[in-house]
Amino acid sequence: MADITALSQLALQLLQQLISIQSFSKEEDRTADLIDQVLQQHGVKTHRKLNNIWAWNKHFDEGKPTVLLNSHHDTVKPNSGYTRDPYDAKIEDGKLYGLGSNDAGGCLVSLIAVFLYYHDQENLKYNFCLATTAEEEISGVNGLELIIPDLGKLDFGIVGEPTLMDLAIAERGLMVLDCVAHGRAGHAAREEGDNAIYKALADIEWFRNFKFPKESEVFGPIKMSVTIINAGSQHNVVPATCTFTVDVRVTDAYRNEEVLEIIRQHVSCDVTPRSIRLKPSSIDKKHPFVQAGVSLGRNTYGSPTTSDQSLLDISSIKIGPGDSARSHMADEFIYVDEIGEGIDLYIQMLSKII
């Protein structure tokens, strides 16, 4: 069993190294190399598929439940507002600056430290599976989703995203819908054609006003927003088609498939989801891990943003050091103390159920 202070130092040093390496989504090979190397240096037998690294605790027992520890090592591209070098992992005034420091580097290295804390321990009530994954920022198919079949049976998941170490007990799902209203082309000067824009307007008004019968205890109603609309080629031609895009934030009151079916029953346009992979999730407030967090003074809330948690079909919680409000911001940072606190709180919560 490693010392928590030593693990915090290891986590901080690893995060500084990770920040110094460009790791945009689909370009995470060098951060995967580093994570693989560090784990092996600590006696961990690792596995790799593309840019995903995973491992199990040393005394893995197939007869015991398994806890997944997951976070991602890809980043978005730095926005134009940066005033610092996004790859210069400097510590100033207690803040560690750098691209991916907050989202989700601090969570990633904290969970790696937690895994190392438990890795060599015998007689645990649970196994641990660490999965450090790629393509989270683009909801890519070659990240966590790719390796889930390789991870075996999982019973509970901790997904590391910046939550100020509060407990996100629910997460909205996401469906992006491409809609096409069909009419018939004609000359605008004559009474001919069937204007697809007018047909689309009726459906758009439905998306604007419809209320789903069930509401989430955490989030309230499902939110649907029409965000893009395109039609027409020139001023004197009645358009035959009108396309529009709808952003649907699905709550834990429904499955994505149910929402899609209800929508198709009410609108006349063709509705094609780009994906139904990003599922809503929730966990019972009475779950032992949630209760452990509450007993340590942590708050519970519903997260409006999506993460790799949406790809899991097991009970899971989203929790990690850092603040979601800092994600993707210019001059991104995480407080150094948040990393040590995160490791300590993760271990305290797990120790209450293990």
Side-chain angles (χ1 to χ4, degrees):
M1 184 189 305
D3 175 74
I4 292 178
T5 302
L7 286 172
S8 297
Q9 269 306 119
L10 168 70
L12 180 60
Q13 291 169 3
L14 175 57
L15 181 52
Q16 288 180 293
Q17 290 177 283
L18 289 168
I19 290 169
S20 71
I21 301 171
Q22 180 178 298
S23 57
F24 303 151
S25 301
K26 296 190 175 185
E27 302 174 20
E28 315 94 339
D29 52 304
R30 290 193 297 146
T31 46
D33 291 343
L34 175 60
I35 293 165
D36 198 14
Q37 177 186 356
V38 168
L39 289 171
Q40 290 188 37
Q41 286 173 349
H42 286 80
V44 177
K45 182 181 179 181
T46 60
H47 306 266
R48 180 169 184 167
K49 184 177 284 187
L50 298 183
N51 295 327
N52 305 287
I53 308 293
W54 72 94
W56 291 281
N57 57 299
K58 184 176 182 179
H59 302 287
F60 184 92
D61 183 342
E62 290 185 358
K64 296 177 180 179
T66 299
V67 175
L68 172 69
L69 306 177
N70 166 247
S71 192
H72 64 96
H73 56 99
D74 63 315
T75 73
V76 297
K77 294 182 178 180
N79 72 47
S80 59
Y82 262 84
T83 64
R84 317 171 65 95
D85 179 350
Y87 308 107
D88 186 8
K90 282 187 177 176
I91 297 173
E92 295 178 8
D93 300 322
K95 300 174 183 177
L96 172 58
Y97 287 91
L99 183 65
S101 56
N102 180 79
D103 183 15
C107 305
L108 174 72
V109 299
S110 297
L111 286 173
I112 289 173
V114 171
F115 177 78
L116 292 175
Y117 178 83
Y118 287 111
H119 177 257
D120 295 338
Q121 292 189 38
E122 299 183 51
N123 302 316
L124 295 170
K125 291 183 181 178
Y126 293 82
N127 300 308
F128 284 94
C129 176
L130 173 71
T132 67
T133 49
E135 294 194 12
E136 190 274 345
E137 293 290 3
I138 59 168
S139 301
V141 297
N142 288 321
L144 177 60
E145 185 175 35
L146 177 71
I147 65 169
I148 283 176
D150 299 293
L151 302 183
K153 184 176 180 292
L154 302 169
D155 297 273
F156 175 64
I158 297 174
V159 177
E161 289 285 338
T163 70
L164 293 170
M165 288 306 291
D166 285 330
L167 302 132
I169 59 171
E171 180 181 89
R172 287 188 189 270
L174 170 64
M175 282 196 302
V176 179
L177 307 178
D178 291 315
C179 303
V180 184
H182 296 278
R184 188 176 70 257
H187 198 295
R190 296 189 288 269
E191 293 297 324
E192 62 184 37
D194 186 8
N195 197 319
I197 293 176
Y198 299 153
K199 289 193 167 186
L201 284 175
D203 287 342
I204 289 170
E205 192 67 9
W206 180 86
F207 278 111
R208 179 184 179 186
N209 294 316
F210 183 75
K211 302 295 182 186
F212 287 83
K214 293 187 291 185
E215 292 195 2
S216 163
E217 180 183 340
V218 179
F219 294 113
I222 287 175
K223 184 171 178 10
M224 298 191 292
S225 304
V226 177
T227 54
I228 302 171
I229 184 167
N230 288 289
S233 57
Q234 58 191 60
H235 76 90
N236 58 354
V237 177
V238 172
T241 59
C242 178
T243 64
F244 60 98
T245 302
V246 188
D247 179 291
V248 184
R249 301 292 166 156
V250 184
T251 72
D252 53 307
Y254 288 90
R255 294 169 60 249
N256 285 353
E257 293 86 349
E258 294 176 297
V259 171
L260 183 59
E261 183 180 354
I262 291 169
I263 290 170
R264 283 174 168 165
Q265 288 172 354
H266 285 83
V267 298
S268 61
C269 60
D270 295 336
V271 178
T272 305
R274 295 181 186 176
S275 169
I276 57 172
R277 298 163 50 239
L278 304 178
K279 305 180 292 289
S281 63
S282 64
I283 190 170
D284 195 315
K285 289 182 179 179
K286 295 180 181 177
H287 189 281
F289 190 89
V290 177
Q291 290 295 300
V294 170
S295 73
L296 293 168
R298 312 320 297 177
N299 298 314
T300 61
Y301 74 104
S303 173
T305 58
T306 57
S307 71
D308 275 346
Q309 188 179 18
S310 65
L311 303 172
L312 297 174
D313 287 320
I314 56 174
S315 293
S316 60
I317 193 86
K318 183 163 73 176
I319 180 173
D323 186 345
S324 181
R326 297 183 217 133
S327 298
H328 307 175
M329 66 178 282
D331 299 337
E332 182 181 347
F333 70 89
I334 188 169
Y335 287 101
V336 171
D337 289 348
E338 288 179 317
I339 296 170
E341 180 191 37
I343 295 169
D344 184 51
L345 283 169
Y346 278 137
I347 291 172
Q348 283 194 65
M349 292 178 202
L350 286 165
S351 68
K352 288 180 177 288
I353 62 171
I354 291 175

